[in-house]
Amino acid sequence: MDGKILAASSKHTKPVDRVFQYGTAGFRMKANLLDSVVFRVGLVAALRSRKLGGQTIGVMITASHNPPEDNGVKLVDPMGEMLENSWEAYSTELANARDEDLLKVYKSLEEKLKINGETTARVIYARDTRASGPALVRALVDALDATGTEYTDYKLLTTPQLHYLTRCTNTEGTPQSYGDVSEKGYYEKLSEAFVRAMKGKKTVGAVTVDCANGVGGPKLHELVKYLKKGSEGGVDIKIINDDVLKAESLNHECGADFVKTKQRAPPTSKAGNNERCCSLDGDADRIIYYFNDPEHGFRLLDGDKIATLAASFIGDLAREARLAEELKIGVVQTAYANGASTKYVEKSLGLPVVCTPTGVKWLHHAATKFDVGVYFEANGHGTVVFSPQALKAFHTKEPESPAQAAALNTLRALADLINQTVGDALSDMLLVETILAHKAWTPREWDLTYVDLPNRLVRVEVKNRNLFKTTDAERKLVEPQGLQEQIDALVSKVRDGRSFARASGTEDAVRVYAEAVTRGEADDLASKVAGLCR
Ligand code: 16G
């Protein structure tokens, strides 16, 4: 095997003077720099699978909402979760090894982690629609071949589909089976659960789905075929921005990130006033909703609004099912969550809120501490996770009334509809559609549940973002010394003010967030805090 690794690595040499880091979303950068990184991620995947006794590891090649010329790679652990933390460091170490040291570093990891090189390693992989994907897949396959790894190529998939398949592969034939190990199995599971969750209800009007000209487009077209087969047409889906042939159109003036940062609909959207719209990102793991209010203009229904909608609906169902006493329901947010959403969850819904650092792995982990953990980043990345106790209760609770039986049925359907492995734009969309249908709500009624505090996000170019160190789920700076006190002093002068600065995990910059009771105060606070960081 050693000779094979050496021979294969000579085809995937590392660019000199480049430092790579496995960040919040794996490795991500200009695609032309990624060849050696993807090859080495293949080596890590083989090691990780062997370390876990031959369980299957997922490898996804995508750069999500980044521009078309970027790409990236991330690893998926056996239950469909993000890669375990300590292995991010091993990935970084291997990615940065000099070509001549690569085998030595590989062997030292094998030894340090007590990995049996004889164990069969198993990997599944997929990619998004970027033009650079196929060449990067070849780099990955070279590493898998060199390490004698068994693998399956799932070609084009959304990131959450690969998470789903990773979990299905590792649980196949066990009582924990998560579904059929195929893309078709994913559509069948979601569409069948959706029909049960809708119980013949219909949403008000159509939903226009902007697919960011990414992999979500063809996959949503596929899902719609299954929804049509099974349902009585509970939802009318209009698909836009689904062109995956024009590589340069990916995420260009469309997609969840565009809508969230520009605070407007994609120019291609033809939706009229009060019509429900949503946007996916390039690999369909994020979703945000929006609509045009004839009085107030563009209205964003972001991850916070999706989380509060889901928490309120599931909370009500738990009460109707008489499970509220025995199940701990909670919401997990990051510091970016609008203060009004946090207040709404705690005060109006009466549910606890936990705040974690940015990055899905932190939120997911915190959510698993609840029986029903609803987690969303404001940018639309999130899902709901159910504990084994919650799932058991949904299936074993004896209903004493038709209303209780109906609530239990809906909860069981939601547990299948919601992708438990990671935030999934397609599954989240069906969840939102289900809830709006049950409540017979238009987006306006959803929007009115609480009013966001005006807020501003500023990207600040700094000399060295690594000097910015935070604590308290990124809400406070511990370094540079004295800066937090200066921020606190500014915040104290503003009504309902809140502001924090943190180093980005994906870009070479510091991000500053500020909110306050008025737009002017929020903008002013953000620009003053940004000034302090420069
Ligand atoms: C990554 C994270 C996303 C987070 C973003 C923050 C995952 C899968 N993705 O894209 O959840 O919102 O980073 O970026 O965890 P930032 O650190 O540049 O602000």
Side-chain angles (χ1 to χ4, degrees):
M1 191 190 299
D2 295 1
K4 284 189 183 161
I5 294 177
L6 271 181
S9 75
S10 68
K11 291 196 285 171
H12 304 286
T13 52
K14 177 182 176 294
V16 265
D17 296 338
R18 277 278 162 184
V19 183
F20 302 113
Q21 194 178 356
Y22 196 104
T24 27
F27 295 103
R28 201 182 282 185
M29 66 202 83
K30 292 277 162 280
N32 59 7
L33 294 170
L34 263 175
D35 180 73
S36 69
V37 176
V38 174
F39 175 78
R40 289 153 187 232
V41 164
L43 301 182
V44 177
L47 286 173
R48 178 89 182 128
S49 172
R50 290 199 165 104
K51 172 72 190 170
L52 299 175
Q55 291 193 78
T56 299
I57 296 298
V59 181
M60 183 71 199
I61 296 181
T62 176
S64 190
H65 63 270
N66 285 40
E69 61 277 14
D70 288 10
N71 215 329
V73 59
K74 51 190 169 187
L75 289 161
V76 181
D77 261 357
M79 285 305 111
E81 330 90 301
M82 301 283 172
L83 179 68
E84 189 193 288
N85 236 355
S86 54
W87 280 73
E88 293 187 3
Y90 306 142
S91 308
T92 301
E93 192 180 339
L94 257 186
N96 288 308
R98 293 188 309 175
D99 289 323
E100 54 273 36
D101 297 335
L102 182 61
L103 189 61
K104 202 173 76 197
V105 175
Y106 179 85
K107 301 297 276 183
S108 75
L109 278 175
E110 205 174 44
E111 200 184 296
K112 178 165 120 188
L113 299 165
K114 302 195 176 53
I115 291 167
N116 179 357
E118 301 297 307
T119 307
T120 306
R122 297 182 179 88
V123 164
I124 64 173
Y125 60 86
R127 60 184 169 88
D128 70 14
T129 53
R130 285 161 206 271
S132 55
L136 293 175
V137 160
R138 285 194 287 280
L140 175 70
V141 168
D142 280 350
L144 300 179
D145 282 336
T147 49
T149 302
E150 290 179 4
Y151 54 83
T152 306
D153 178 1
Y154 279 101
K155 309 244 164 39
L156 293 177
L157 287 184
T158 69
T159 295
Q161 286 180 321
L162 184 77
H163 283 253
Y164 163 89
L165 284 169
T166 306
R167 179 140 164 186
C168 290
T169 306
N170 287 302
T171 53
E172 193 183 15
T174 73
Q176 286 74 38
S177 166
Y178 193 63
D180 190 58
V181 194
S182 65
E183 193 182 333
K184 183 167 168 270
Y186 170 89
Y187 300 122
E188 282 172 349
K189 182 173 181 181
L190 255 62
S191 54
E192 186 268 339
F194 180 65
V195 173
R196 281 191 285 132
M198 289 286 279
K199 282 188 302 205
K201 294 202 161 50
K202 271 182 191 287
T203 47
V204 186
V207 56
T208 299
V209 188
D210 154 29
C211 297
N213 293 318
V215 68
K219 301 307 175 188
L220 178 56
H221 277 290
E222 204 53 34
L223 176 61
V224 165
K225 289 186 205 156
Y226 287 80
L227 291 174
K228 290 230 165 90
K229 261 189 233 166
S231 81
E232 304 88 54
V235 59
D236 181 5
I237 298 175
K238 287 188 185 145
I239 302 176
I240 62 165
N241 298 326
D242 56 346
D243 184 352
V244 292
L245 297 177
K246 241 197 287 142
E248 66 279 13
S249 63
L250 172 69
N251 295 323
H252 181 67
E253 300 217 309
C254 59
D257 204 59
F258 171 88
V259 174
K260 169 95 178 137
T261 48
K262 303 276 185 223
Q263 300 272 321
R264 61 183 156 96
T268 42
S269 176
K270 303 269 182 297
N273 285 341
N274 292 324
E275 281 179 17
R276 216 157 60 251
C277 302
C278 62
S279 286
L280 324 180
D281 69 343
D283 62 341
D285 62 359
R286 267 166 68 177
I287 186 165
I288 47 163
Y289 269 75
Y290 48 93
F291 70 105
N292 196 55
D293 183 322
E295 273 172 58
H296 303 103
F298 176 83
R299 303 293 302 162
L300 188 66
L301 298 154
D302 63 0
D304 298 343
K305 278 258 156 75
I306 299 176
T308 49
L309 183 74
S312 110
F313 184 60
I314 297 174
D316 286 348
L317 286 174
R319 267 186 296 279
E320 283 161 30
R322 307 247 177 100
L323 286 172
E325 299 294 307
E326 59 192 273
L327 297 182
K328 231 170 113 205
I329 304 178
V331 175
V332 183
Q333 303 183 315
T334 70
Y336 289 111
N338 196 281
S341 73
T342 312
K343 200 164 148 193
Y344 174 76
V345 176
E346 288 177 338
K347 300 274 183 313
S348 302
L349 303 182
L351 296 174
V353 176
V354 169
C355 183
T356 73
T358 305
V360 170
K361 63 181 175 192
W362 304 115
L363 289 112
H364 190 96
H365 184 71
T368 59
K369 303 275 184 283
F370 292 104
D371 290 311
V372 180
V374 180
Y375 76 83
F376 270 88
E377 292 191 308
N379 65 17
H381 202 152
T383 189
V384 183
V385 286
F386 298 96
S387 70
Q389 291 83 332
L391 295 175
K392 191 162 166 237
F394 297 166
H395 284 93
T396 54
K397 184 92 182 169
E398 281 294 332
E400 287 163 15
S401 70
Q404 194 183 355
L408 285 166
N409 270 332
T410 310
L411 285 169
R412 281 194 289 271
L414 291 187
D416 289 332
L417 178 64
I418 299 169
N419 191 335
Q420 310 271 308
T421 63
V422 77
D424 180 337
L426 299 181
S427 152
D428 287 340
M429 180 193 75
L430 294 181
L431 170 66
V432 169
E433 293 300 312
T434 300
I435 302 174
L436 295 180
H438 274 255
K439 292 183 179 280
W441 271 3
T442 64
R444 192 171 148 72
E445 282 150 322
W446 175 15
D447 188 34
L448 288 175
T449 47
Y450 66 87
V451 181
D452 272 331
L453 286 170
N455 59 90
R456 180 68 62 202
L457 185 62
V458 185
R459 183 180 185 280
V460 189
E461 304 271 347
V462 293
K463 278 209 194 77
N464 183 1
R465 69 174 154 149
N466 296 322
L467 298 178
F468 290 73
K469 300 217 174 1
T470 58
T471 182
D472 188 23
E474 301 179 324
R475 289 175 290 191
K476 288 207 160 14
L477 281 170
V478 280
E479 284 177 34
Q481 275 193 5
L483 188 51
Q484 186 59 47
E485 287 71 20
Q486 289 175 276
I487 297 176
D488 290 344
L490 288 173
V491 168
S492 67
K493 292 187 196 131
V494 175
R495 286 172 299 155
D496 277 347
R498 191 168 71 89
S499 180
F500 64 90
R502 59 174 275 278
S504 157
T506 62
E507 289 172 39
D508 198 8
V510 161
R511 298 198 201 285
V512 167
Y513 174 90
E515 65 186 26
V517 85
T518 62
R519 155 81 27 231
E521 281 167 294
D523 287 351
D524 189 49
L525 182 58
S527 95
K528 284 190 174 134
V529 174
L532 290 177
C533 295
R534 274 190 194 104

